[in-house]
Amino acid sequence: TEALIRYNLYVDCMPMDGMGEVDPPSFQKMLKWAKDTPFLKDKNLDNYIERLRKEVNIDFARSQNRMVFDKVVEQNPATFAYVTVPETAAEAIPEKGYYSDVPSYPFKEQKDSFEFNTLLTREESILAMMKVRTDCNKVAGMSLFHIPMPKCMRLEEFEQTQGQASSQVQLFLKDIWISTLRAAVRTSLRDVGKGWFNMHETNWNVYQISKLKRFMDMVKFSMQDSLRYLVQDSLVAFVQMTLDACHSVLDLPEDFGWGKDLIISKFKPKKNALFLVDLVLDNQGVHFSTPLNSFDSSMVGLFDKGISATAAVPQLEKYVLEDMFWSGTPLLESVGQHEPFVEELRETLRGAIKKAFIPMKAYAQEYEQYLELNALDINAYIKEFDSQEHTAAQVKAEVDLHLREKEKIENTIPSSV
């Protein structure tokens, strides 16, 4: 060990001037191999590269010095009797590069099997997959409902707006989306010709074992995946919009009473109110212009209509293989009306709407005290008043009374809440 340390000390003490440097093309080749990784490709490593260059040149010069030193010691053994040159063990060079701790692996067989099964062996199929994925991502990012609502509106107008949004998406899925995907696949694979991706195949059994069949299955699953994300995200957004409007009433008890203040409401939506309704006082009592039960059935109906909009979208297979005989039109699977998460969202929606009825009913009850006044027949009252004899002072007092009551009511009842 001491002799080895002394040997390395002698080599390290030799001057390096004039020993040369690593050939620049060789260094650039090593640098290219080192940087040709995703992690290092685009990073600025100039400072580190310069340090590594110096280290490589030092190791190169030391190797040159070591070869010179070994040659001099070998030629003058008497002069350098105190120097022991370490023996260099001959390394066994394998016929093929490998790591001894890695077991043998049938790489060629596995590679052939992978190429036989994968769809990524042709540039055309990769391009088609990219186009399909792009269009499917667009569908997944759409919405079946008009969200958010810019202003509050009456229930009929709300139904019409949301129904149009669902119908437009449904029309897009069944017409434009299918046409776009068909064009993307056929234009990408039109030059492939016969073989694994033959779009003009007419034999059903041959088609079943082709890569085109697996490709179309992949397209089918991608489309179904997009439809599921479309429905899930749209339903969640629709329910969340309702919850945002009802968030301040979700914890109200059933026996909630409004109170005497009819002008200021402490129940405010997070964003915009959804509906506009009128409070009506007539011979039927106090009620709203739109029956409260209509909100429950309408909102749940829109919820279910959004799901149904994706229920009859055709598969792309029939439109790509035009030379194949098809007895019908296969449809894509979408979200079912009674899936667990759909049932949960539907119940959440119903619960929020029912909670919103509590303050509405309580507010309407406060107007029952004005039913008698609202039902008053003015002509009959004036006729009865005229039938009795009154002095001018009594008439003035009666007029002043009604004016005070009018002002009181105007200060109590708001035009809108």
Side-chain angles (χ1 to χ4, degrees), residues 401-413:
L401 173 64
H402 286 296
L403 289 175
R404 287 194 301 271
E405 289 296 326
K406 172 179 174 291
E407 184 178 358
K408 179 181 177 182
I409 292 174
E410 287 178 347
N411 294 330
T412 304
I413 299 177

Side-chain angles (χ1 to χ4, degrees), residues 339-356:
E339 292 190 19
F341 89 94
V342 174
E343 294 282 4
E344 182 180 352
L345 287 174
R346 188 183 287 113
E347 290 305 315
T348 302
L349 179 64
R350 281 178 172 156
I353 295 172
K354 290 180 180 179
K355 282 292 185 180

Side-chain angles (χ1 to χ4, degrees), residues 42 178 211 226:
D42 299 324
I178 297 298
K211 286 190 177 182
S226 299

Side-chain angles (χ1 to χ4, degrees), residues 141-151 153 157-166 168-169 229-245 271-275 299 302-303 306 345 349:
M142 297 172 68
S143 177
L144 292 166
F145 304 103
H146 187 72
I147 299 174
M149 296 298 294
K151 62 177 182 178
M153 55 185 65
E157 187 181 356
F158 182 86
E159 283 183 309
Q160 184 179 7
T161 301
Q162 301 297 348
Q164 285 179 351
S166 298
Q168 287 175 359
V169 174
Y229 275 109
L230 169 63
V231 175
Q232 288 181 351
D233 294 345
S234 298
L235 295 183
V236 169
F238 185 73
V239 173
Q240 188 61 50
M241 178 182 66
T242 307
L243 291 176
D244 289 343
K271 297 178 182 178
N272 296 329
L274 297 181
F275 300 109
M299 294 292 283
L302 290 172
F303 182 92
L345 287 174
L349 179 64

Side-chain angles (χ1 to χ4, degrees), residues 164-403:
Q164 285 179 351
S166 298
S167 299
Q168 287 175 359
V169 174
Q170 184 180 29
L171 181 62
F172 175 84
L173 294 176
K174 293 182 178 180
D175 186 6
I176 299 176
W177 192 36
I178 297 298
S179 300
T180 303
L181 290 177
R182 173 188 173 278
V185 174
R186 289 189 65 85
T187 54
S188 299
L189 301 179
R190 63 186 175 186
D191 297 328
V192 174
K194 293 185 178 181
W196 285 117
F197 295 95
N198 182 17
M199 293 187 298
H200 303 289
E201 184 61 63
T202 58
N203 188 312
W204 177 258
N205 293 327
V206 173
Y207 169 67
Q208 288 296 310
I209 61 174
S210 68
K211 286 190 177 182
L212 181 59
K213 169 61 177 175
R214 295 200 293 271
F215 176 83
M216 296 310 302
D217 287 341
M218 184 274 297
V219 172
K220 179 184 71 174
F221 293 135
S222 296
M223 295 173 70
Q224 291 179 169
D225 186 64
S226 299
L227 291 180
R228 178 161 290 272
Y229 275 109
L230 169 63
V231 175
Q232 288 181 351
D233 294 345
S234 298
L235 295 183
V236 169
F238 185 73
V239 173
Q240 188 61 50
M241 178 182 66
T242 307
L243 291 176
D244 289 343
C246 304
H247 79 103
S248 58
V249 302
L250 296 178
D251 298 325
L252 284 182
E254 293 291 335
D255 57 350
F256 170 77
W258 186 272
K260 299 301 181 183
D261 189 355
L262 301 178
I263 298 178
I264 300 176
S265 172
K266 58 184 177 181
F267 305 111
K268 302 291 184 181
K270 281 187 177 181
K271 297 178 182 178
N272 296 329
L274 297 181
F275 300 109
L276 177 65
V277 294
D278 296 328
L279 186 65
V280 180
L281 282 72
D282 55 21
N283 55 4
Q284 297 180 359
V286 182
H287 59 91
F288 292 96
S289 57
T290 304
L292 296 183
N293 293 335
S294 300
F295 289 96
D296 188 308
S297 58
S298 176
M299 294 292 283
V300 174
L302 290 172
F303 182 92
D304 293 337
K305 183 179 180 181
I307 301 175
S308 301
T310 63
V313 179
Q315 294 184 21
L316 190 65
E317 201 170 22
K318 176 180 178 179
Y319 301 94
V320 173
L321 284 91
E322 297 179 345
D323 298 335
M324 187 78 68
F325 172 75
W326 299 88
S327 59
T329 302
L331 301 178
L332 296 173
E333 294 182 9
S334 184
V335 176
Q337 293 278 1
H338 301 289
E339 292 190 19
F341 89 94
V342 174
E343 294 282 4
E344 182 180 352
L345 287 174
R346 188 183 287 113
E347 290 305 315
T348 302
L349 179 64
R350 281 178 172 156
I353 295 172
K354 290 180 180 179
K355 282 292 185 180
F357 293 162
I358 296 176
M360 294 180 69
K361 293 178 180 179
Y363 187 78
Q365 287 178 356
E366 298 298 327
Y367 281 82
E368 292 179 355
Q369 57 183 313
Y370 302 108
L371 284 174
E372 183 179 354
L373 176 62
N374 184 74
L376 178 64
D377 187 343
I378 298 177
N379 294 328
Y381 173 79
I382 293 175
K383 184 177 181 181
E384 181 183 356
F385 187 80
D386 287 342
S387 65
Q388 303 173 4
E389 293 184 1
H390 297 88
T391 63
Q394 289 175 333
V395 173
K396 183 178 183 302
E398 186 72 13
V399 172
D400 290 340
L401 173 64
H402 286 296
L403 289 175

